[in-house]
Amino acid sequence: MAVLYSNIRSEIRTGDLIIWKTTAVEDIFDLFLLLYQKIFNAKWTHMAIATRMESRVLLTEATPPVSRLFPLSAKNRDFYWLQTSIEERDSHIAYLLTLLGREYSILDFFRSKLKIKLSSKQDYCSDLASEF
């Protein structure tokens, strides 16, 4: 069940997964995600790793054109929260920060689905989560 961000904000920890399904098209990437969801009957279309910095809850995510750090509060979409049992450490945040700036494009999305990996610096959102 989707949850209200304000109700769980204080409980979200670094390493937790934030997951979405596409229900509306706001840009070209959403269109591709929606098509993917329909064609492959996918339950989820996007995933990010929660990155807690003091009182802020940020997301480490792969979204065109690069992997980035983005405030969860700015997403403005319903999401699903998957708690993990990963112990929070400064080294985890440092590692997540090394993922930022990796190139990511619509082509990378399709390469990921077809299991074609051209570069270690190109990741789909679930690739980032599995790496962590």
Side-chain angles (χ1 to χ4, degrees):
M1 171 181 359
V3 294
L4 288 174
Y5 174 64
S6 58
N7 290 348
I8 62 165
R9 182 176 188 274
S10 63
E11 298 175 50
I12 298 173
R13 299 286 173 246
T14 295
D16 288 351
L17 299 178
I18 307 298
I19 306 167
W20 293 266
K21 61 182 174 180
T22 302
T23 56
V25 175
E26 295 178 12
D27 56 35
I28 189 74
F29 190 61
D30 285 343
L31 178 61
F32 282 105
L33 290 176
L34 189 61
L35 288 172
Y36 165 77
Q37 185 173 303
K38 298 296 183 194
I39 292 168
F40 294 101
N41 199 27
K43 189 171 184 178
W44 318 112
T45 56
H46 188 59
M47 172 184 303
I49 304 167
T51 309
R52 189 163 197 90
M53 294 184 164
E54 302 298 328
S55 63
R56 298 296 313 261
V57 179
L58 305 168
L59 301 173
T60 302
E61 64 176 347
T63 187
V66 295
S67 299
R68 66 182 184 167
L69 199 59
F70 197 78
L72 177 55
S73 60
K75 275 296 195 181
N76 243 357
R77 290 186 177 186
D78 290 341
F79 63 87
Y80 297 83
W81 170 43
L82 179 63
Q83 289 178 285
T84 64
S85 57
I86 297 170
E87 183 181 332
E88 286 188 78
R89 295 182 181 169
D90 288 343
S91 61
H92 291 148
I93 292 175
Y95 174 73
L96 288 170
L97 292 175
T98 69
L99 302 176
L100 301 181
R102 286 188 178 183
E103 294 177 8
Y104 181 66
S105 69
I106 299 295
L107 275 174
D108 295 324
F109 170 79
F110 286 109
R111 285 184 193 126
S112 172
K113 296 299 129 204
L114 297 172
K115 308 286 189 229
I116 300 170
K117 187 110 173 170
L118 297 180
S119 165
S120 64
K121 295 198 180 282
Q122 296 173 327
D123 292 306
Y124 181 56
C125 56
S126 58
D127 295 332
L128 288 180
S130 67
E131 238 182 84
F132 181 71

